[in-house]
Amino acid sequence: MEIRKLAVYVETVIAEAGKPNAQEVTRVAAAGVIANPFSGTFQEDLSQLFDFGSLLGERLVQAALPHLPRAAVSYGKAAIVGVNGDIEHGHAMLHPKLGKAMRDPIGGGAALIPSSAKVAAAGTVLDVPLGHKDDAWSFDHFDTISLSVPDSPRPDEIMMVIALSDGSRINPRVGKTRAAI
């Protein structure tokens, strides 16, 4: 795996709509930019990218965790594949091995890790969905962290991001239980 760049974005949310929260919430997104070994080609077997996702994920979680003042309660993952790549390259990085690399260092996670992937040009904003690590139906924790790395991904690269948060949205008020369908 050829890594070109690592970047960490940290934000601390103190207030929303003019109302401070009792406790600040910190969200961290760590991005890794790698050369895409399958750029410009169709490859049936993407298992090399499964391994890359796990290895890069371990490194990104270790880069993100020191920035959280409290334990991670929410997580998410996303990827942008450079324009010479294939959307499946991003999904191969995000699934099926990245989850373990994220869950182990934060002490578990019973819920699926929200994810997104797209093919796009360098500098595209990536919206990384967040959800509670143990309760997929915790409405208060449905959130997003957005980031852009101005020169990434280049056409023959993949940018993968993991995101962690130590709290819910600030001042959530959309309900606590699932509505009947």
Side-chain angles (χ1 to χ4, degrees):
M1 177 173 61
E2 182 184 326
I3 301 173
R4 181 175 66 83
K5 179 181 272 195
L6 299 173
V8 178
Y9 172 76
V10 181
E11 62 183 30
T12 300
V13 185
I14 299 164
E16 185 65 42
K19 183 176 188 257
N21 195 47
Q23 188 168 37
E24 297 175 351
V25 173
T26 300
R27 296 186 291 220
V28 180
V33 182
I34 67 163
N36 183 348
F38 304 131
S39 184
T41 65
F42 180 85
Q43 177 71 30
E44 189 66 41
D45 179 5
L46 299 177
S47 59
Q48 181 181 11
L49 294 177
F50 302 166
D51 295 334
F52 284 5
S54 177
L55 292 170
L56 185 57
E58 289 173 6
R59 188 151 181 192
L60 295 177
V61 171
Q62 292 309 314
L65 277 174
H67 298 281
L68 287 178
R70 295 182 311 275
V73 296
S74 295
Y75 52 22
K77 57 188 179 181
I80 299 177
V81 178
V83 296
N84 291 342
D86 172 344
I87 190 74
E88 287 301 300
H89 300 162
H91 285 290
M93 295 282 294
L94 300 175
H95 320 287
K97 293 187 176 183
L98 177 57
K100 181 173 176 25
M102 290 178 68
R103 286 183 179 95
D104 286 353
I106 64 170
L112 290 173
I113 303 169
S115 67
S116 67
K118 61 184 173 182
V119 174
T124 297
V125 173
L126 184 59
D127 294 321
V128 184
L130 292 166
H132 194 283
K133 71 181 187 71
D134 295 312
D135 181 0
W137 288 99
S138 175
F139 294 173
D140 293 357
H141 292 84
F142 294 168
D143 206 351
T144 303
I145 184 168
S146 300
L147 74 148
S148 171
V149 178
D151 69 345
S152 302
R154 292 177 179 162
D156 297 324
E157 294 178 331
I158 301 169
M159 182 175 83
M160 185 179 86
V161 177
I162 64 95
L164 302 171
S165 177
D166 65 4
S168 67
R169 293 186 319 280
I170 297 291
N171 305 315
R173 50 197 186 279
V174 297
K176 300 289 183 192
T177 58
R178 272 176 19 179
I181 298 176

